[in-house]
Amino acid sequence: MALIVQKYGGSSVSDAESVKRVARRIVETKQAGNDVVVVVSAMGDTTDELIDLAEQVSPNPPGRELDMLLTAGERISMAVLAMAIYDLGFEARSYTGSQAGLITDSTHGRARIIDVTPGRISQALSDGAIPIVAGFQGVSQDTKDITTLGRGGSDTTAVALAAALKAEVCEIFTDVDGIFTADPRIVKKALKLDQIAYEEVLELAANGAKILHSRCVEYARRFNVPIHVRSSFNKNEGSWVISQEAKDATMEQPIISGVAHDLGDAKLTLVAVPDKPGIAATIFETVASNGVNVDMIVQNIAASDTNKTDVTFTLPKIDGKKALAALESIKDKIQYQELILDENIAKISLVGAGMRSHPGVSADLFRALAQAGINIEMISTSEIRISVVTRAEDAAKAVQAIHSAFDLDSDTDATVHAGTGR
Ligand code: ASP
Ligand code: MG
């Protein structure tokens, strides 16, 4: 008998009908002879609605209370899902994250799981019941307060439980058929991947692809939990997220796994800073001490006659004004000529483990953008990724051009079954 952890996302349980549909699917899995543990997200856009509500009540709610509020979303879905399963003649028991043994640190809003003690889940399983666990939440080890794991955190709950219970697989049910080579909402002919390595998913997720919660993939990689991302709207085989070694062991390996895009970044340029030791350190110490994470950094060689250079970096758009103010306050120290904040950029990233051993990938990428008439403003690379910054309005065109240039286009259109993409 296999133990399967199934996670159903908000768009799969958006109303009473879909809750019943999901209940039938869970029962089918059980009837096929498996033990099933279910993790469920809040129904539809409930979490966003609860955040909107909090904002109307208070401009700056305490983290403890906001977490208490947001966990209510998942409590609703776990209870109604358990009821729907009862109606099908099976016993289901719902558990909050705390009851299910998801122990976290005490950082409200983005708590980290530090231990999983799923005693009650194991008990329910041995009693023949189907445990339903509220995703995205836990309880702090020291304060004993309720915490949340950050937006999209139910994926992490599911993988953490799968690891602790030594499940055979963690199935993540969503509103698309799996992981695609690009966002199917932008690239109609996006191709569903049969397999993808943990590292590749992490790069795609970190660069704007809305696939899986990064922490969930990190967790899965650490404990080697296979993840099967699939649609809750059909029975099709989805995409398997596995280790690079397991992926290498299968026959044919594509060079590229996908194209991600991110419209959430801005770019900040310090014009004409003196080219001398300590300048970069001062700039980035200042930015970091204001809690701003930078991503790409570009500095040119100084023009020989002036000995001045430009320094440009990207950062989350929401931090733009903060970084600007911080750098303005050290103008005397750095003596730049001007600061330019540009919020109208897109970051496009091409990801694939095959890049490690395959020359010419960046050249092909730049050629594809040139042919589409798209200007590249910044470039950065990792071992398995190439990212470029373009104008924001060029994003969709750039993703499509790259997707086609690398022969990723599928023969059929990708289906998006539900969800607002919110
Ligand atoms: N309901 C939470 C959210 O919308 C957690 C999740 O869906 O995974 O972010
Ligand atoms: Mg959600």
Side-chain angles (χ1 to χ4, degrees):
M1 196 193 283
L3 172 61
I4 299 178
V5 174
Q6 297 191 326
K7 179 256 171 178
Y8 291 91
S11 56
S12 297
V13 289
S14 55
D15 54 19
E17 265 328 298
S18 33
V19 169
K20 290 196 233 174
R21 190 172 48 82
V22 163
R24 284 194 294 274
R25 182 147 197 167
I26 294 165
V27 164
E28 280 166 26
T29 312
K30 174 93 179 156
Q31 280 173 322
N34 304 292
D35 267 343
V36 197
V37 174
V38 178
V39 174
V40 71
S41 289
M43 295 171 73
D45 288 333
T46 303
T47 308
D48 294 286
E49 287 156 15
L50 291 172
I51 291 172
D52 291 348
L53 171 65
E55 276 168 4
Q56 285 167 40
V57 172
S58 156
N60 195 11
R64 182 187 187 280
E65 303 312 326
L66 188 59
D67 274 358
M68 192 59 105
L69 175 69
L70 296 188
T71 54
E74 271 71 11
R75 291 177 76 128
I76 294 172
S77 24
M78 70 176 190
V80 292
L81 187 54
M83 294 172 195
I85 292 173
Y86 259 96
D87 274 347
L88 299 172
F90 286 77
E91 191 191 346
R93 294 181 196 162
S94 63
Y95 298 95
T96 63
S98 164
Q99 290 175 316
L102 282 122
I103 314 296
T104 71
D105 65 15
S106 56
T107 327
H108 286 293
R110 52 187 170 85
R112 264 183 191 281
I113 296 173
I114 50 183
D115 196 11
V116 185
T117 51
R120 299 194 66 188
I121 305 304
S122 305
Q123 185 59 51
L125 286 173
S126 55
D127 293 347
I130 302 172
I132 315 283
V133 179
F136 160 71
Q137 53 182 276
V139 62
S140 157
Q141 191 167 48
D142 27 283
T143 64
K144 308 286 181 238
D145 284 331
I146 298 299
T147 53
T148 64
L149 309 179
R151 297 307 307 272
S154 299
D155 293 346
T156 309
T157 305
V159 168
L161 277 172
L165 295 164
K166 303 203 170 25
E168 195 149 293
V169 53
C170 180
E171 294 187 320
I172 306 260
F173 287 91
T174 178
D175 52 5
V176 290
D177 280 352
I179 298 177
F180 285 80
T181 47
D183 184 346
R185 292 177 172 90
I186 290 197
V187 179
K188 283 250 159 338
K189 300 233 177 293
L191 182 72
K192 194 202 81 203
L193 295 161
D194 293 335
Q195 295 185 337
I196 180 165
Y198 296 125
E199 293 73 16
E200 294 172 307
V201 176
L202 283 172
E203 286 277 14
L204 286 168
N207 288 286
K210 293 178 193 70
I211 331 176
L212 291 169
H213 201 229
S214 293
R215 279 197 187 157
C216 132
V217 186
E218 280 163 12
Y219 212 101
R221 175 170 64 173
R222 179 143 53 101
F223 294 96
N224 208 9
V225 178
I227 303 178
H228 186 189
V229 181
R230 57 194 307 195
S231 170
S232 69
F233 294 81
N234 60 45
K235 297 274 162 72
N236 299 350
E237 183 79 3
S239 305
W240 286 83
V241 187
I242 52 180
S243 70
Q244 187 62 52
E245 299 73 54
K247 198 181 150 211
D248 284 343
T250 63
M251 301 259 289
E252 183 132 347
Q253 286 313 326
I255 300 164
I256 301 302
S257 297
V259 191
H261 67 282
D262 194 344
L263 294 168
D265 279 356
K267 125 183 145 170
L268 211 161
T269 303
L270 296 95
V271 180
V273 296
D275 187 18
K276 61 175 196 211
I279 293 290
T282 309
I283 294 172
F284 292 103
E285 273 162 13
T286 305
V287 172
S289 65
N290 281 274
V292 177
N293 263 319
V294 309
D295 180 22
M296 293 187 195
I297 301 174
V298 171
Q299 183 196 300
N300 287 320
I301 297 172
S304 53
D305 48 341
T306 61
N307 209 30
K308 299 230 162 153
T309 180
D310 291 352
V311 174
T312 303
F313 61 90
T314 62
L315 72 173
K317 239 183 231 178
I318 43 164
D319 290 334
K321 301 263 158 23
K322 192 160 62 169
L324 209 57
L327 291 172
E328 263 155 16
S329 74
I330 54 161
K331 174 151 198 199
D332 291 348
K333 241 183 176 165
I334 311 184
Q335 304 202 323
Y336 53 78
Q337 188 185 312
E338 190 188 355
L339 289 177
I340 303 171
L341 178 66
D342 181 351
E343 297 189 310
N344 210 11
I345 62 161
K347 185 174 67 180
I348 319 285
S349 304
L350 183 67
V351 172
M355 274 181 208
R356 284 197 184 101
S357 53
H358 197 92
V361 175
S362 22
D364 292 346
L365 168 71
F366 303 152
R367 175 60 60 204
L369 291 172
Q371 275 163 357
I374 294 166
N375 189 42
I376 300 171
E377 302 179 15
M378 291 172 86
I379 301 169
S380 87
T381 61
S382 84
E383 229 190 341
I384 63 166
R385 171 183 55 82
I386 308 166
S387 299
V388 296
V389 167
T390 67
R391 289 291 87 206
E393 56 269 24
D394 286 336
K397 198 167 144 200
V399 172
Q400 182 63 70
I402 297 167
H403 197 266
S404 301
F406 283 88
D407 282 331
L408 298 173
D409 291 349
S410 131
D411 302 334
T412 52
D413 284 359
T415 323
V416 178
H417 301 279
T420 54
R422 190 173 171 184

